[in-house]
Amino acid sequence: MPRLSGLLLAFLSFAAWAAAAEDSALPRLRMRNVALTTKAEGVRVSTRIPTTLTFDTPINAQAVKLGEKAPVEILAVGERSLTLRALEELSEAVTLRVPFLNESILTAPVFKLTTAADVVDAQVLVFRDASAPELMQARLAALEARCSACEAALTAQRERGTATGPSGWILSGQVEASTGVKVKRLRAPPLSATTGLEVASVHRFKADAWVVLAVQVSNRSGPPWRPGKAWLENPSTGRRVEARTVVMAPDVLPPNGTGRVAVELDWKKGESGPNGEAFRLVIQEAADGARPLSIPGVVLEDGTPAQEKNGP
């Protein structure tokens, strides 16, 4: 139990320093597990953040020894732990010997202390035996965390890989302004409260042969909502342009949920009507069409400022 209590104290201390680092411009904090070998172990220290070495065996507090005239301050020494910090940036490595209780200082493990501006070893858990159960558990936990991160990254890549066509690419984040596609945020007027749907934004993604309207929508009331067919219609001329693809992430918008609908259309500049032509975007509900999403003032080809006054 004393050993586990010491390790728990080390973890809590590290968490406190990590929280402090988030609130200020401090170096990145590191927590390490070290198995002793015949070689000196390097430890990164700092002038601003203490470093705590926690051992799995009692240490001889009276025999702890730093290099001669080393600009390093020992803040506290416990039964199994040692806390210190640098008094200035170290121009060369400082030697630290920490002998174990009832053992010769000649066999004491040696640490080489250095400073770095970007990182500090805030907590170092030191194990005499590389096969110590606590060390194996810590390494297993680290491997499990890495595996979880890799699985999450793999899942994200699979989702990106299954996205097909411009609409899917946009919803998966693969197509943005930085990829060379022209992106513009259109002005979207508020919708009628009777539909229970609210539009936060409409972005227009344009390429040479297609246009995608990405609509950020919220389901403020009513049952889940899923898009079906969609089209653009000109209220003045009766002109109508059918969408070739309608997709949404997530697939179904739950009550009080928010999603992004991508409406993809065939659209070639100069072949699809005059500049500044204003459309109403209609996205029908997939189930029965009872709650269509209607967004007026959508312009696919920007015209003159005078023309755009009747646009989005």
Side-chain angles (χ1 to χ4, degrees), residues 175-290:
V175 172
E176 296 292 347
S178 59
T179 61
V181 175
K182 295 180 180 179
V183 183
K184 181 178 180 180
R185 177 167 179 159
L186 306 179
R187 287 174 292 170
L191 300 181
S192 170
T194 57
T195 66
L197 302 174
E198 293 183 6
V199 172
S201 65
V202 180
H203 284 81
R204 183 186 67 199
F205 294 74
K206 290 185 62 177
D208 291 339
W210 53 262
V211 171
V212 173
L213 298 169
V215 182
Q216 194 77 19
V217 59
S218 299
N219 186 8
R220 295 303 184 189
S221 63
W225 185 84
R226 183 164 63 90
K229 295 181 179 180
W231 61 87
L232 290 171
E233 58 186 22
N234 187 323
S236 301
T237 65
R239 184 181 178 209
R240 178 163 164 161
V241 181
E242 298 283 346
R244 67 185 185 188
T245 303
V246 182
V247 291
M248 184 173 72
D251 295 333
V252 178
L253 197 62
N256 299 317
T258 299
R260 198 180 191 198
V261 185
V263 179
E264 180 180 331
L265 307 108
D266 288 308
W267 190 268
K268 293 184 179 180
K269 186 175 181 179
E271 299 180 6
S272 305
N275 289 355
E277 183 177 9
F279 291 91
R280 176 185 292 112
L281 173 62
V282 179
I283 305 175
Q284 202 170 46
E285 187 176 12
D288 53 13

Side-chain angles (χ1 to χ4, degrees), residues 58-134:
I59 62 175
N60 186 346
Q62 304 301 321
V64 172
K65 186 177 181 181
L66 283 166
E68 188 176 354
K69 297 182 180 180
V72 174
E73 176 185 19
I74 296 179
L75 300 175
V77 180
E79 180 185 4
R80 298 173 184 265
S81 65
L82 171 70
T83 301
L84 50 81
R85 71 179 181 92
L87 297 175
E88 61 185 50
E89 298 299 323
L90 304 180
S91 58
E92 58 184 21
V94 170
T95 300
L96 169 69
R97 292 181 181 273
V98 185
F100 294 113
L101 192 64
N102 300 324
E103 294 188 16
S104 171
I105 193 171
L106 297 178
T107 61
V110 178
F111 301 89
K112 293 291 185 181
L113 310 180
T114 58
T115 52
D118 59 337
V119 65
V120 56
D121 292 326
Q123 287 287 345
V124 181
L125 304 184
V126 184
F127 298 88
R128 297 189 69 177
D129 187 357
S131 61
E134 293 87 351

Side-chain angles (χ1 to χ4, degrees), residues 16-46:
W17 279 110
E22 291 180 356
D23 297 334
S24 59
L26 296 175
R28 178 173 59 89
L29 304 187
R30 239 179 8 180
M31 183 172 184
R32 297 172 53 208
N33 300 304
V34 171
L36 293 176
T37 65
T38 56
K39 296 182 179 180
E41 184 67 37
V43 177
R44 297 279 185 91
V45 298
S46 169

